[in-house]
Amino acid sequence: MAGSIQRGLPGLDDADLPRSPELLERAWAAHSPPPAYAAQYRRLAEAAVEAGIHPHDLDAADLASSGLSALAHRRGWRPATVSLYAKVARYAGIPCPGLRTPEPDRTALPLAPLLAQPAADASPAQVRVWVWLSVARRWPAPLPVWTGLRVEHLALSPAHRRLTVRYLQGSALGRPLATPADPAAAAWARWLQLRDGIPGLAESPWALPNTRRGNRPDVTVGSQPSERGLEAAFKRYVRGCLEREHARGRTPEPEMLRRYLELSYDTYRRHVMASDPVARDAAGLLDLAPGHSARGAVRAQRGASLM
């Protein structure tokens, strides 16, 4: 119903007017997504304006004939990304066909190469991702959580045998999650020690701050990480791990190599939840958008049952 109202009367639809960037920006700005999806909606709108796509172009009988499909092809988006943006568009009142988020491959993906301790001379960027994945092995929080996670949210026991994560979105109270003594605690201890010796990182309040300067003035050493930046760092780290495996004569089989190269952090965390009941239970403690954590845990459970 919202779509029919927003379209207006025949002959008065702004989708029929010349597609100037200003008109497209106004058309996308006329829709308001829920606050939790504002960032994703902004990225969708920016990409659509650049491609000359109007919100009405997303409305179609199926995804293949939707403007979202053309936009995904132009941007090289993966199916999971397309599914997310289709959902965000619908949340903003834009008619758009749905697409089920693809489940991860049912064949178990060995995670050991990604969790191997980096060398002593590894760069801060490499150590940061290794620490991230080591902690996520027990606390598989979604990507948006990591961008806002602060150092104060993670606490080490005096002997570095236990790592406690206190995180509750929108609350100062926090919710404790204690992980057993495992490499996650040692990884976090190494990260804190490394940070202390690097100006910018030592003063940063963020758990996973940027380790290098970026093209934008606000991206500095120690500044808050972005989802896009963390995902790019994750992919660089995976490629580096595969190069080290190749140097040691342990290159994965072609199909497994393809899956590593296509791996995203979201798929990594779902593999973690599917293979580790402790991680799956920990994911259920995340306080995010209604139904988000529960849906992720259910999908991980479904994936585990089919492996």
Side-chain angles (χ1 to χ4, degrees):
M1 180 178 294
S4 62
I5 294 175
Q6 290 162 354
R7 284 181 178 279
L9 298 174
L12 297 179
D13 194 338
D14 60 359
D16 297 328
L17 300 175
R19 299 290 182 89
S20 67
E22 293 76 14
L23 182 142
L24 292 174
E25 288 176 359
R26 288 198 303 270
W28 284 95
H31 299 271
S32 299
Y37 293 93
Q40 292 87 342
Y41 182 79
R42 184 184 67 253
R43 289 195 290 269
L44 171 62
E46 290 173 352
V49 170
E50 180 182 332
I53 294 178
H54 193 281
H56 295 337
D57 295 336
L58 273 58
D59 192 5
D62 52 50
L63 186 65
S65 55
S66 168
L68 183 61
S69 179
L71 184 57
H73 180 75
R74 178 189 178 101
R75 286 294 184 116
W77 287 339
R78 300 180 62 187
T81 304
V82 179
S83 175
L84 170 64
Y85 285 144
K87 177 176 68 175
V88 170
R90 291 195 301 275
Y91 285 176
I94 300 173
C96 182
L99 173 69
R100 288 182 60 85
T101 304
E103 299 291 345
D105 195 307
R106 300 297 186 250
T107 305
L109 183 68
L111 301 178
L114 308 183
L115 297 170
Q117 185 169 343
D121 59 349
S123 69
Q126 292 174 319
V127 176
R128 179 182 68 151
V129 179
W130 170 67
V131 171
W132 173 24
L133 300 186
S134 298
V135 176
R137 184 71 176 85
R138 287 294 188 179
W139 190 63
L143 193 57
V145 170
W146 294 104
T147 63
L149 198 70
R150 293 174 173 265
V151 175
E152 65 196 46
H153 292 145
L154 295 101
L156 276 174
S157 63
H160 296 174
R161 294 182 55 81
R162 183 177 295 276
L163 180 66
T164 301
V165 182
R166 297 183 179 91
Y167 175 83
L168 184 62
Q169 185 168 326
S171 172
L173 297 177
R175 178 180 292 173
L177 169 67
T179 63
D182 61 19
W188 183 248
R190 177 175 173 180
W191 178 233
L192 292 180
Q193 183 179 16
L194 185 149
R195 286 167 56 113
D196 288 342
I198 301 179
L201 292 185
E203 303 84 10
S204 177
W206 308 107
L208 300 176
N210 292 312
T211 58
R212 63 186 73 178
R213 296 184 63 87
N215 296 326
R216 301 197 316 270
D218 60 325
V219 180
T220 61
V221 176
S223 61
Q224 183 177 10
S226 66
E227 292 182 39
R228 184 177 299 181
L230 284 180
E231 188 64 57
F234 172 84
K235 290 186 177 297
R236 286 195 299 269
Y237 180 79
V238 171
R239 288 196 296 269
C241 290
L242 293 177
E243 290 171 359
R244 288 191 291 273
E245 289 292 295
H246 178 72
R248 296 166 182 160
R250 299 199 295 250
T251 304
E253 295 296 326
E255 177 60 21
M256 194 67 72
L257 180 62
R258 178 191 65 80
R259 291 178 55 203
Y260 275 118
L261 292 174
E262 293 180 352
L263 191 66
S264 66
Y265 171 73
D266 181 64
T267 305
Y268 168 85
R269 68 182 288 267
R270 282 189 273 145
H271 275 292
V272 166
M273 288 189 289
S275 60
D276 189 336
V278 173
R280 189 160 55 247
D281 292 342
L285 295 179
L286 289 165
D287 185 22
L288 300 168
H292 183 100
S293 58
R295 182 169 62 252
V298 168
R299 290 176 59 200
Q301 180 69 54
R302 185 166 64 245
S305 65
L306 296 174
M307 289 174 113

